[in-house]
Amino acid sequence: MAKIIAIREQPGYLDRAVDYFSSKREIARQIYEASITESLHTESPEPRWYLMLEDSDIIGSYGLIENDLMVRKDLTPWLCALYVEKNKSQQGLGGQLLKHARS
């Protein structure tokens, strides 16, 4: 069964999370590393980063950031980096991640 963890609450996942997020998008590893590291220490509600695990395997992810593209700063938090592994598609895992993000 899949579980969702907050990297802030389990900082031992920091390096794996940074590698995972950066491997799924064309965004430099340093950008994810800076934001995820910030999430470990900030008192602000964003950024927050989450992994979906099945046993010890990462099978999905998402983040909540203050805003994206700085266009609509009034819309916060901003859901980003939602991803589910292709071999896990059609199982409702994306919906589980979205539900978790809304809670």
Side-chain angles (χ1 to χ4, degrees):
M1 179 169 194
K3 68 177 180 177
I4 300 170
I5 65 159
I7 299 166
R8 180 182 173 97
E9 296 169 8
Q10 297 196 35
Y13 279 91
L14 174 66
D15 287 330
R16 283 184 67 197
V18 170
D19 289 340
Y20 186 80
F21 281 101
S22 64
S23 74
K24 301 305 174 186
R25 287 166 185 75
E26 294 181 15
I27 297 174
R29 185 184 193 284
Q30 297 88 335
I31 293 172
Y32 282 113
E33 185 173 33
S35 183
I36 295 171
T37 299
E38 177 188 354
S39 78
L40 300 178
H41 308 289
T42 185
E43 295 297 322
S44 176
E46 293 91 28
R48 294 293 184 261
W49 297 91
Y50 301 88
L51 296 174
M52 179 177 268
L53 304 175
E54 187 174 73
D55 299 317
S56 63
D57 297 326
I58 301 172
I59 61 169
S61 63
Y62 77 92
L64 295 173
I65 57 176
E66 185 177 4
N67 57 57
D68 197 15
L69 305 175
M70 308 292 249
V71 175
R72 293 287 310 263
K73 291 184 178 187
D74 59 317
L75 300 176
T76 189
W78 198 274
L79 179 72
C80 69
L82 179 70
Y83 186 84
V84 174
E85 291 294 327
K86 290 178 185 171
N87 66 339
K88 297 294 180 181
S89 65
Q90 304 300 316
Q91 297 180 25
L93 300 177
Q96 288 178 33
L97 288 167
L98 287 171
K99 183 177 179 181
H100 186 269
R102 288 190 302 256
S103 62

XYZ file of all heavy atoms in Angstrom:
833
model
N 0.844 -1.187 0.000
C 0.000 0.000 0.000
C 0.884 1.244 0.000
O 1.885 1.319 0.702
C -0.911 -0.008 1.208
C -1.790 1.191 1.280
S -3.051 0.972 2.541
C -4.092 2.291 2.091
N 0.488 2.220 -0.755
C 1.254 3.459 -0.881
C 0.996 4.367 0.315
O -0.106 4.424 0.850
C 0.865 4.171 -2.167
N 2.051 5.089 0.716
C 1.912 6.096 1.765
C 2.584 7.375 1.296
O 3.515 7.346 0.482
C 2.498 5.612 3.083
C 4.001 5.466 3.082
C 4.499 5.040 4.455
C 6.014 4.897 4.443
N 6.537 4.563 5.752
N 2.102 8.490 1.815
C 2.640 9.797 1.447
C 3.379 10.343 2.664
O 2.832 10.369 3.770
C 1.516 10.751 1.011
C 0.790 10.169 -0.206
C 2.078 12.138 0.706
C -0.487 10.894 -0.580
N 4.609 10.768 2.423
C 5.408 11.339 3.503
C 5.776 12.782 3.184
O 5.942 13.149 2.024
C 6.692 10.516 3.772
C 7.634 10.557 2.557
C 6.360 9.097 4.191
C 9.067 10.230 2.893
N 5.890 13.573 4.220
C 6.379 14.950 4.102
C 7.881 14.916 4.309
O 8.363 14.403 5.319
C 5.718 15.836 5.147
N 8.620 15.458 3.377
C 10.074 15.473 3.499
C 10.482 16.300 4.720
O 11.455 15.969 5.393
C 10.729 15.970 2.202
C 10.355 15.019 1.055
C 12.242 16.062 2.349
C 10.643 15.541 -0.312
N 9.722 17.313 5.031
C 9.998 18.138 6.215
C 10.012 17.272 7.475
O 10.788 17.500 8.393
C 8.966 19.240 6.328
C 9.162 20.143 7.532
C 8.038 21.189 7.569
N 8.064 21.968 8.770
C 8.616 23.159 8.883
N 9.189 23.714 7.833
N 8.580 23.814 10.017
N 9.138 16.299 7.537
C 9.043 15.432 8.713
C 10.001 14.247 8.648
O 10.229 13.593 9.664
C 7.601 14.954 8.875
C 6.641 16.098 9.158
C 5.181 15.684 9.049
O 4.891 14.476 8.901
O 4.331 16.593 9.106
N 10.532 13.974 7.460
C 11.472 12.878 7.295
C 12.654 13.356 6.445
O 12.803 12.963 5.290
C 10.772 11.682 6.659
C 9.661 11.154 7.565
C 9.209 9.774 7.171
O 9.997 8.952 6.731
N 7.925 9.521 7.336
N 13.483 14.236 7.027
C 14.564 14.863 6.257
C 15.616 13.881 5.748
O 16.412 14.239 4.880
C 15.160 15.875 7.231
C 14.760 15.406 8.579
C 13.443 14.704 8.406
N 15.605 12.665 6.212
C 16.528 11.666 5.686
C 16.276 11.365 4.216
O 17.138 10.807 3.532
N 15.115 11.753 3.720
C 14.769 11.559 2.301
C 15.234 12.708 1.417
O 14.994 12.693 0.218
C 13.254 11.386 2.145
C 12.768 9.997 2.456
C 12.367 9.656 3.735
C 12.719 9.020 1.464
C 11.915 8.375 4.030
C 12.279 7.746 1.743
C 11.883 7.435 3.030
O 11.446 6.155 3.311
N 15.894 13.709 1.985
C 16.243 14.910 1.225
C 16.955 14.598 -0.086
O 16.494 15.002 -1.160
C 17.106 15.851 2.073
C 17.648 17.076 1.340
C 16.534 18.020 0.928
C 18.676 17.797 2.186
N 18.060 13.896 -0.038
C 18.824 13.641 -1.263
C 18.044 12.805 -2.263
O 18.055 13.095 -3.466
C 20.159 12.972 -0.941
C 21.147 13.930 -0.305
O 21.083 15.135 -0.600
O 21.976 13.476 0.505
N 17.368 11.770 -1.790
C 16.558 10.960 -2.703
C 15.454 11.792 -3.341
O 15.154 11.652 -4.526
C 15.929 9.766 -1.969
C 16.900 8.639 -1.720
C 16.233 7.438 -1.090
N 15.298 6.818 -2.021
C 14.347 5.956 -1.651
N 14.194 5.629 -0.384
N 13.534 5.423 -2.549
N 14.842 12.667 -2.561
C 13.761 13.511 -3.080
C 14.285 14.471 -4.141
O 13.675 14.612 -5.211
C 13.104 14.282 -1.943
N 15.395 15.118 -3.859
C 15.972 16.058 -4.830
C 16.289 15.318 -6.124
O 15.953 15.794 -7.223
C 17.224 16.743 -4.249
C 17.956 17.530 -5.320
C 16.844 17.646 -3.081
N 16.911 14.162 -6.026
C 17.226 13.374 -7.220
C 15.958 12.986 -7.968
O 15.898 13.062 -9.199
C 18.011 12.120 -6.848
C 19.431 12.420 -6.404
O 19.954 13.503 -6.721
O 20.020 11.547 -5.727
N 14.940 12.573 -7.228
C 13.692 12.135 -7.859
C 13.015 13.294 -8.600
O 12.684 13.171 -9.781
C 12.741 11.556 -6.810
C 11.499 10.960 -7.406
C 11.522 9.683 -7.957
C 10.307 11.665 -7.441
C 10.378 9.127 -8.522
C 9.168 11.117 -8.004
C 9.204 9.850 -8.539
O 8.075 9.310 -9.103
N 12.799 14.395 -7.897
C 12.126 15.531 -8.531
C 12.887 16.003 -9.765
O 12.289 16.240 -10.811
C 11.953 16.684 -7.541
C 10.801 16.516 -6.588
C 11.020 16.083 -5.291
C 9.506 16.798 -6.985
C 9.966 15.929 -4.406
C 8.440 16.642 -6.114
C 8.670 16.213 -4.814
N 14.188 16.132 -9.645
C 14.950 16.658 -10.780
C 15.018 15.660 -11.932
O 15.133 16.062 -13.087
C 16.348 17.086 -10.344
O 17.105 15.998 -9.892
N 14.911 14.375 -11.648
C 14.948 13.382 -12.727
C 13.655 13.341 -13.535
O 13.645 12.859 -14.663
C 15.236 11.987 -12.163
O 14.110 11.457 -11.491
N 12.581 13.862 -12.994
C 11.273 13.791 -13.663
C 10.963 15.035 -14.487
O 10.011 15.049 -15.249
C 10.153 13.577 -12.632
C 10.314 12.319 -11.807
C 10.437 11.087 -12.681
C 10.743 9.853 -11.871
N 11.013 8.688 -12.702
N 11.767 16.080 -14.326
C 11.529 17.324 -15.045
C 12.830 17.917 -15.548
O 13.894 17.586 -15.068
C 10.857 18.323 -14.108
C 9.440 17.921 -13.885
C 8.806 18.623 -12.742
N 7.486 18.075 -12.551
C 7.253 16.894 -11.997
N 8.217 16.162 -11.573
N 6.018 16.449 -11.876
N 12.722 18.814 -16.450
C 13.908 19.494 -16.982
C 14.192 20.751 -16.165
O 14.264 21.851 -16.683
C 13.693 19.831 -18.452
C 13.596 18.594 -19.319
C 13.404 18.933 -20.779
O 13.630 20.089 -21.171
O 13.011 18.028 -21.522
N 14.343 20.545 -14.863
C 14.652 21.624 -13.939
C 15.915 21.222 -13.197
O 16.045 20.085 -12.744
C 13.488 21.880 -12.965
C 12.245 22.335 -13.753
C 13.869 22.897 -11.901
C 10.996 22.483 -12.928
N 16.828 22.152 -13.066
C 18.121 21.853 -12.451
C 17.960 21.312 -11.031
O 17.117 21.788 -10.261
C 18.989 23.103 -12.433
N 18.796 20.359 -10.707
C 18.785 19.737 -9.385
C 18.940 20.793 -8.288
O 18.307 20.709 -7.232
C 19.909 18.707 -9.303
C 19.917 17.909 -8.018
C 21.114 16.964 -7.949
N 20.949 15.998 -6.879
C 21.127 16.284 -5.592
N 21.469 17.507 -5.216
N 20.965 15.339 -4.682
N 19.762 21.803 -8.534
C 20.035 22.833 -7.539
C 18.771 23.597 -7.137
O 18.639 24.035 -5.995
C 21.092 23.830 -8.046
C 22.438 23.217 -8.307
C 22.579 22.652 -9.729
O 21.606 22.298 -10.379
N 23.805 22.552 -10.194
N 17.856 23.767 -8.063
C 16.609 24.486 -7.761
C 15.772 23.677 -6.790
O 15.265 24.207 -5.795
C 15.843 24.811 -9.053
C 16.647 25.825 -9.869
C 14.436 25.317 -8.751
C 16.103 26.095 -11.239
N 15.619 22.379 -7.068
C 14.874 21.527 -6.134
C 15.592 21.435 -4.798
O 14.963 21.494 -3.737
C 14.660 20.128 -6.712
C 13.554 20.082 -7.723
C 13.819 19.821 -9.056
C 12.230 20.295 -7.356
C 12.801 19.772 -9.998
C 11.209 20.253 -8.285
C 11.499 19.991 -9.605
O 10.493 19.950 -10.519
N 16.897 21.305 -4.837
C 17.657 21.183 -3.597
C 17.454 22.422 -2.712
O 17.236 22.310 -1.500
C 19.133 20.981 -3.898
C 19.965 20.733 -2.661
C 21.387 20.358 -3.006
O 21.928 20.849 -4.026
O 21.956 19.563 -2.253
N 17.494 23.597 -3.310
C 17.306 24.835 -2.545
C 15.908 24.902 -1.930
O 15.753 25.216 -0.747
C 17.559 26.045 -3.435
N 14.898 24.588 -2.713
C 13.524 24.690 -2.223
C 13.211 23.624 -1.178
O 12.583 23.914 -0.155
C 12.539 24.595 -3.382
O 11.217 24.764 -2.908
N 13.638 22.400 -1.430
C 13.352 21.328 -0.474
C 14.118 21.557 0.825
O 13.575 21.366 1.922
C 13.642 19.944 -1.094
C 12.677 19.686 -2.262
C 13.492 18.843 -0.047
C 13.007 18.455 -3.094
N 15.353 22.014 0.731
C 16.126 22.331 1.933
C 15.458 23.467 2.701
O 15.344 23.412 3.937
C 17.579 22.687 1.565
O 18.173 21.553 0.925
C 18.377 23.050 2.800
N 14.996 24.489 1.985
C 14.282 25.590 2.640
C 13.060 25.073 3.388
O 12.756 25.516 4.496
C 13.850 26.642 1.615
C 13.043 27.768 2.221
C 12.444 28.727 1.208
O 12.735 28.599 -0.004
O 11.686 29.605 1.630
N 12.355 24.115 2.809
C 11.135 23.590 3.428
C 11.404 22.905 4.767
O 10.512 22.801 5.601
C 10.426 22.620 2.480
O 11.058 21.349 2.458
N 12.631 22.470 4.967
C 12.975 21.799 6.226
C 13.074 22.775 7.390
O 12.929 22.387 8.546
C 14.307 21.058 6.090
C 14.389 19.962 5.032
C 15.790 19.367 5.016
C 13.337 18.900 5.236
N 13.313 24.056 7.081
C 13.632 25.023 8.130
C 12.681 26.204 8.240
O 12.669 26.872 9.267
C 15.053 25.554 7.903
C 16.070 24.467 7.753
N 16.468 23.680 8.799
C 16.728 24.000 6.670
C 17.345 22.788 8.375
N 17.521 22.964 7.080
N 11.916 26.484 7.228
C 11.097 27.693 7.220
C 9.873 27.567 8.130
O 9.324 26.471 8.307
C 10.652 28.045 5.789
O 9.963 29.294 5.831
C 9.739 26.987 5.190
N 9.477 28.692 8.674
C 8.225 28.758 9.443
C 7.040 29.027 8.513
O 5.894 28.849 8.889
C 8.321 29.855 10.509
C 9.368 29.571 11.573
C 9.070 28.319 12.390
O 7.892 28.064 12.707
O 10.031 27.584 12.701
N 7.337 29.463 7.306
C 6.308 29.744 6.304
C 5.610 28.445 5.904
O 6.215 27.372 5.933
C 6.971 30.383 5.080
O 6.029 30.574 4.065
N 4.342 28.521 5.509
C 3.637 27.300 5.096
C 4.130 26.699 3.774
O 3.848 25.548 3.478
C 2.180 27.741 4.970
C 2.192 29.225 4.926
C 3.473 29.696 5.533
N 4.837 27.457 2.976
C 5.419 26.949 1.740
C 6.892 27.330 1.707
O 7.254 28.360 2.245
C 4.723 27.528 0.491
C 3.303 27.109 0.282
C 2.360 28.084 0.942
O 2.711 29.262 1.080
O 1.270 27.677 1.333
N 7.684 26.550 1.043
C 7.363 25.343 0.271
C 7.241 24.105 1.159
O 7.805 24.047 2.256
C 8.568 25.200 -0.658
C 9.709 25.773 0.133
C 9.109 26.896 0.950
N 6.509 23.127 0.638
C 6.381 21.803 1.238
C 6.487 20.787 0.116
O 5.940 20.981 -0.970
C 5.043 21.630 1.974
C 4.903 22.518 3.191
C 5.882 22.118 4.285
N 5.686 22.904 5.487
C 6.419 23.961 5.830
N 7.384 24.375 5.036
N 6.197 24.612 6.938
N 7.166 19.685 0.391
C 7.426 18.659 -0.615
C 7.059 17.291 -0.069
O 7.311 17.003 1.110
C 8.903 18.702 -1.019
C 9.250 20.010 -1.653
C 9.716 21.128 -1.040
C 9.099 20.347 -3.034
N 9.873 22.139 -1.943
C 9.508 21.687 -3.188
C 8.668 19.638 -4.157
C 9.496 22.338 -4.408
C 8.665 20.293 -5.380
C 9.077 21.621 -5.494
N 6.471 16.463 -0.930
C 5.939 15.169 -0.511
C 6.339 14.077 -1.495
O 6.423 14.306 -2.700
C 4.407 15.235 -0.435
C 3.935 16.285 0.537
C 3.748 17.603 0.130
C 3.706 15.973 1.872
C 3.345 18.582 1.029
C 3.301 16.945 2.770
C 3.113 18.240 2.346
O 2.712 19.213 3.236
N 6.541 12.891 -0.942
C 6.817 11.702 -1.744
C 5.760 10.655 -1.450
O 5.316 10.513 -0.306
C 8.190 11.115 -1.401
C 9.410 11.967 -1.700
C 10.663 11.282 -1.171
C 9.526 12.238 -3.192
N 5.388 9.917 -2.467
C 4.538 8.743 -2.290
C 5.456 7.531 -2.381
O 6.207 7.386 -3.346
C 3.453 8.682 -3.361
C 2.559 7.456 -3.232
S 1.226 7.455 -4.464
C -0.058 8.284 -3.501
N 5.384 6.697 -1.356
C 6.242 5.521 -1.280
C 5.424 4.244 -1.315
O 4.325 4.180 -0.761
C 7.045 5.531 0.027
C 7.916 6.742 0.313
C 8.531 6.623 1.705
C 8.994 6.884 -0.732
N 5.991 3.248 -1.944
C 5.468 1.891 -1.882
C 6.644 1.047 -1.415
O 7.641 0.917 -2.141
C 4.956 1.443 -3.245
C 4.256 0.104 -3.213
C 3.649 -0.207 -4.558
O 4.420 -0.519 -5.486
O 2.408 -0.120 -4.676
N 6.531 0.531 -0.208
C 7.683 -0.058 0.468
C 8.749 1.040 0.537
O 8.472 2.103 1.051
C 8.156 -1.325 -0.235
C 7.063 -2.400 -0.266
O 6.392 -2.588 0.769
O 6.871 -3.028 -1.324
N 9.915 0.843 0.001
C 10.935 1.904 0.034
C 11.099 2.594 -1.316
O 11.962 3.450 -1.481
C 12.277 1.326 0.488
O 12.715 0.361 -0.439
N 10.258 2.236 -2.281
C 10.341 2.822 -3.622
C 9.496 4.085 -3.721
O 8.346 4.117 -3.281
C 9.851 1.829 -4.683
C 10.704 0.586 -4.762
O 11.935 0.686 -4.540
O 10.154 -0.495 -5.029
N 10.062 5.130 -4.328
C 9.304 6.353 -4.608
C 8.480 6.106 -5.867
O 9.014 5.757 -6.905
C 10.239 7.558 -4.817
C 11.105 7.780 -3.580
C 9.417 8.809 -5.137
C 12.194 8.832 -3.767
N 7.171 6.286 -5.747
C 6.293 6.050 -6.898
C 5.520 7.296 -7.315
O 4.784 7.274 -8.292
C 5.328 4.869 -6.646
C 4.415 5.147 -5.450
C 6.105 3.575 -6.463
C 3.274 4.156 -5.299
N 5.685 8.388 -6.564
C 4.993 9.620 -6.915
C 5.474 10.767 -6.053
O 6.217 10.572 -5.084
N 5.018 11.963 -6.417
C 5.480 13.149 -5.704
C 4.603 14.348 -6.008
O 3.842 14.357 -6.971
C 6.914 13.477 -6.135
O 6.942 13.801 -7.520
N 4.743 15.358 -5.160
C 4.201 16.682 -5.454
C 4.823 17.683 -4.490
O 5.422 17.323 -3.479
C 2.673 16.730 -5.387
C 2.072 16.778 -4.004
C 1.787 17.997 -3.400
C 1.770 15.618 -3.303
C 1.221 18.050 -2.133
C 1.207 15.658 -2.053
C 0.929 16.884 -1.471
O 0.374 16.936 -0.214
N 4.668 18.939 -4.835
C 5.122 20.015 -3.971
C 4.066 21.093 -3.873
O 3.187 21.204 -4.730
N 4.140 21.855 -2.803
C 3.322 23.053 -2.638
C 4.290 24.216 -2.494
O 5.137 24.225 -1.602
C 2.442 22.943 -1.392
C 1.382 21.856 -1.416
C 0.692 21.743 -0.055
C 0.359 22.108 -2.503
N 4.163 25.157 -3.400
C 5.040 26.321 -3.374
C 4.177 27.583 -3.285
O 2.961 27.528 -3.482
C 5.965 26.363 -4.606
C 5.173 26.359 -5.909
C 6.941 25.183 -4.568
C 6.026 26.493 -7.174
N 4.819 28.704 -2.991
C 4.073 29.948 -2.813
C 3.340 30.357 -4.087
O 2.170 30.726 -4.046
C 5.004 31.065 -2.370
C 4.266 32.337 -2.047
C 5.180 33.432 -1.524
O 6.403 33.237 -1.480
O 4.633 34.495 -1.177
N 4.015 30.300 -5.221
C 3.379 30.626 -6.501
C 4.295 30.150 -7.612
O 5.427 29.757 -7.374
C 3.069 32.113 -6.629
C 4.293 32.976 -6.473
O 5.264 32.836 -7.194
N 4.261 33.882 -5.506
N 3.782 30.169 -8.802
C 4.554 29.741 -9.958
C 4.533 30.874 -10.982
O 3.485 31.444 -11.243
C 3.946 28.469 -10.549
C 4.884 27.739 -11.478
O 6.086 28.024 -11.465
O 4.404 26.863 -12.209
N 5.659 31.174 -11.505
C 5.809 32.223 -12.514
C 5.550 33.615 -11.987
O 5.562 34.572 -12.734
C 4.906 31.954 -13.730
C 5.075 30.591 -14.397
C 4.057 30.413 -15.502
C 6.484 30.417 -14.935
N 5.290 33.751 -10.713
C 5.123 35.046 -10.057
C 4.047 35.921 -10.706
O 4.075 37.134 -10.563
C 6.459 35.793 -10.040
C 7.592 34.975 -9.468
S 7.376 34.688 -7.744
C 8.697 35.680 -7.118
N 3.101 35.326 -11.400
C 2.076 36.101 -12.076
C 0.910 36.403 -11.143
O 0.451 37.538 -11.067
C 1.577 35.354 -13.331
C 0.427 36.086 -13.985
C 2.714 35.166 -14.306
N 0.441 35.397 -10.432
C -0.719 35.555 -9.548
C -0.311 35.232 -8.119
O -0.552 34.146 -7.616
C -1.852 34.630 -10.001
C -2.488 34.946 -11.324
C -3.379 36.193 -11.271
N -4.324 36.209 -10.193
C -5.601 35.836 -10.296
N -6.076 35.416 -11.441
N -6.399 35.889 -9.247
N 0.278 36.189 -7.467
C 0.757 35.971 -6.106
C -0.376 35.776 -5.116
O -0.163 35.319 -4.001
C 1.654 37.117 -5.676
C 2.962 37.129 -6.435
C 3.874 38.201 -5.932
C 5.180 38.138 -6.700
N 6.181 39.032 -6.167
N -1.608 36.110 -5.526
C -2.751 35.944 -4.642
C -3.236 34.490 -4.604
O -4.006 34.125 -3.733
C -3.895 36.861 -5.074
C -4.356 36.607 -6.505
O -3.477 36.420 -7.386
O -5.568 36.599 -6.748
N -2.784 33.674 -5.552
C -3.186 32.262 -5.589
C -2.101 31.430 -4.925
O -1.060 31.146 -5.514
C -3.411 31.811 -7.037
C -4.477 32.572 -7.815
C -4.517 32.087 -9.253
C -5.837 32.433 -7.160
N -2.331 31.048 -3.707
C -1.334 30.284 -2.966
C -2.024 29.309 -2.034
O -3.125 29.613 -1.574
C -0.378 31.231 -2.209
O 0.689 30.493 -1.671
C -1.065 32.042 -1.142
N -1.522 28.144 -1.780
C -0.299 27.593 -2.354
C -0.527 27.103 -3.777
O -1.651 26.912 -4.216
C 0.044 26.427 -1.431
C -1.285 25.946 -0.960
C -2.135 27.202 -0.837
N 0.566 26.874 -4.457
C 0.559 26.427 -5.841
C 1.033 24.980 -5.873
O 2.112 24.669 -5.392
C 1.502 27.314 -6.649
C 1.288 27.255 -8.129
C 1.841 26.352 -8.981
C 0.497 28.122 -8.925
N 1.434 26.606 -10.264
C 0.605 27.693 -10.249
C -0.300 29.230 -8.635
C -0.052 28.328 -11.296
C -0.944 29.859 -9.670
C -0.820 29.407 -10.989
N 0.223 24.108 -6.439
C 0.597 22.705 -6.587
C 1.596 22.580 -7.730
O 1.382 23.130 -8.808
C -0.639 21.858 -6.896
C -0.396 20.370 -7.093
C -0.078 19.695 -5.769
C -1.597 19.725 -7.752
N 2.690 21.875 -7.488
C 3.693 21.704 -8.531
C 4.266 20.290 -8.467
O 4.099 19.577 -7.477
C 4.817 22.728 -8.372
S 5.848 22.458 -6.926
N 4.921 19.922 -9.529
C 5.711 18.689 -9.598
C 4.908 17.431 -9.265
O 5.466 16.464 -8.751
C 6.946 18.803 -8.710
N 3.615 17.446 -9.573
C 2.808 16.239 -9.368
C 3.254 15.189 -10.373
O 3.319 15.463 -11.581
C 1.326 16.550 -9.555
C 0.383 15.359 -9.400
C 0.336 14.921 -7.953
C -1.001 15.719 -9.892
N 3.577 14.013 -9.877
C 4.062 12.953 -10.761
C 3.736 11.596 -10.161
O 3.847 11.396 -8.950
C 5.574 13.071 -10.946
C 6.110 12.094 -11.974
C 6.068 12.401 -13.318
C 6.625 10.861 -11.587
C 6.530 11.507 -14.275
C 7.096 9.961 -12.530
C 7.049 10.289 -13.866
O 7.500 9.400 -14.801
N 3.312 10.668 -11.020
C 3.119 9.267 -10.649
C 3.855 8.434 -11.683
O 3.738 8.694 -12.891
C 1.619 8.889 -10.605
C 1.438 7.400 -10.356
C 0.888 9.703 -9.545
N 4.596 7.461 -11.211
C 5.332 6.581 -12.119
C 4.385 5.933 -13.128
O 3.269 5.542 -12.779
C 6.069 5.494 -11.335
C 7.218 6.014 -10.502
C 8.355 6.562 -11.340
O 8.606 6.047 -12.447
O 8.998 7.526 -10.879
N 4.843 5.830 -14.352
C 4.007 5.296 -15.431
C 3.522 3.880 -15.142
O 2.389 3.534 -15.460
C 4.768 5.345 -16.751
C 4.958 6.747 -17.252
C 5.739 6.809 -18.533
C 5.966 8.269 -18.873
N 6.865 8.472 -19.962
N 4.347 3.070 -14.517
C 3.928 1.696 -14.233
C 2.916 1.629 -13.091
O 2.407 0.558 -12.761
C 5.127 0.796 -13.932
C 5.858 1.162 -12.661
O 5.761 2.279 -12.170
N 6.601 0.221 -12.127
N 2.592 2.771 -12.504
C 1.594 2.844 -11.426
C 0.363 3.639 -11.849
O -0.507 3.912 -11.026
C 2.202 3.492 -10.177
C 3.347 2.705 -9.583
C 2.870 1.375 -9.050
C 4.000 0.585 -8.449
N 3.546 -0.712 -7.944
N 0.303 3.995 -13.133
C -0.834 4.790 -13.603
C -2.113 3.955 -13.585
O -2.083 2.730 -13.490
C -0.565 5.333 -15.002
O -0.480 4.281 -15.922
N -3.213 4.653 -13.657
C -4.546 4.036 -13.676
C -4.874 3.321 -12.365
O -5.685 2.394 -12.346
C -4.695 3.071 -14.861
C -4.414 3.689 -16.215
C -5.340 4.857 -16.519
O -6.539 4.788 -16.290
N -4.776 5.951 -17.006
N -4.251 3.747 -11.271
C -4.526 3.163 -9.958
C -5.095 4.189 -8.979
O -5.253 3.897 -7.798
C -3.250 2.539 -9.374
C -2.718 1.383 -10.195
C -1.459 0.781 -9.597
O -1.207 0.876 -8.397
N -0.654 0.163 -10.432
N -5.352 5.393 -9.465
C -5.907 6.433 -8.615
C -4.886 7.120 -7.713
O -5.260 7.854 -6.801
N -3.603 6.883 -7.969
C -2.578 7.457 -7.098
C -2.461 8.969 -7.256
O -2.221 9.680 -6.275
C -1.232 6.781 -7.351
C -1.206 5.266 -7.100
C 0.150 4.695 -7.445
C -1.600 4.939 -5.682
N -2.639 9.458 -8.467
C -2.638 10.903 -8.674
C -3.758 11.566 -7.887
O -3.557 12.620 -7.275
N -4.913 10.937 -7.874
C -6.036 11.445 -7.087
C -5.730 11.447 -5.599
O -6.114 12.364 -4.877
N -5.023 10.422 -5.135
C -4.627 10.365 -3.725
C -3.671 11.514 -3.396
O -3.784 12.128 -2.321
C -3.970 9.040 -3.401
C -4.928 7.862 -3.356
C -4.191 6.554 -3.064
O -3.209 6.519 -2.348
N -4.689 5.477 -3.657
N -2.735 11.789 -4.287
C -1.810 12.898 -4.074
C -2.567 14.236 -4.035
O -2.300 15.079 -3.189
C -0.725 12.908 -5.148
C 0.314 11.791 -5.042
C 1.142 11.719 -6.323
C 1.204 11.974 -3.834
N -3.508 14.419 -4.952
C -4.295 15.653 -4.974
C -5.127 15.798 -3.703
O -5.214 16.884 -3.127
C -5.202 15.695 -6.199
C -4.486 15.944 -7.524
C -5.456 15.742 -8.679
C -3.884 17.331 -7.555
N -5.739 14.713 -3.262
C -6.535 14.746 -2.032
C -5.645 15.115 -0.847
O -6.025 15.923 -0.003
C -7.208 13.397 -1.803
C -8.100 13.357 -0.601
C -8.791 12.018 -0.457
C -9.675 12.002 0.779
N -10.328 10.708 0.938
N -4.470 14.544 -0.791
C -3.527 14.858 0.286
C -3.136 16.330 0.243
O -3.075 16.985 1.286
C -2.281 13.957 0.138
C -1.329 14.086 1.261
N -0.295 15.000 1.237
C -1.247 13.419 2.431
C 0.383 14.889 2.365
N -0.166 13.938 3.107
N -2.907 16.859 -0.950
C -2.524 18.253 -1.088
C -3.637 19.195 -0.607
O -3.350 20.274 -0.076
C -2.174 18.573 -2.543
N -4.862 18.805 -0.795
C -6.003 19.643 -0.372
C -6.243 19.599 1.128
O -6.927 20.474 1.666
C -7.267 19.223 -1.099
C -7.283 19.608 -2.562
C -8.652 19.391 -3.187
N -9.101 18.014 -3.078
C -9.111 17.128 -4.058
N -8.690 17.482 -5.266
N -9.533 15.913 -3.879
N -5.705 18.589 1.795
C -5.993 18.443 3.241
C -5.095 19.275 4.113
O -4.156 19.894 3.709
C -5.891 16.992 3.654
O -4.589 16.477 3.470
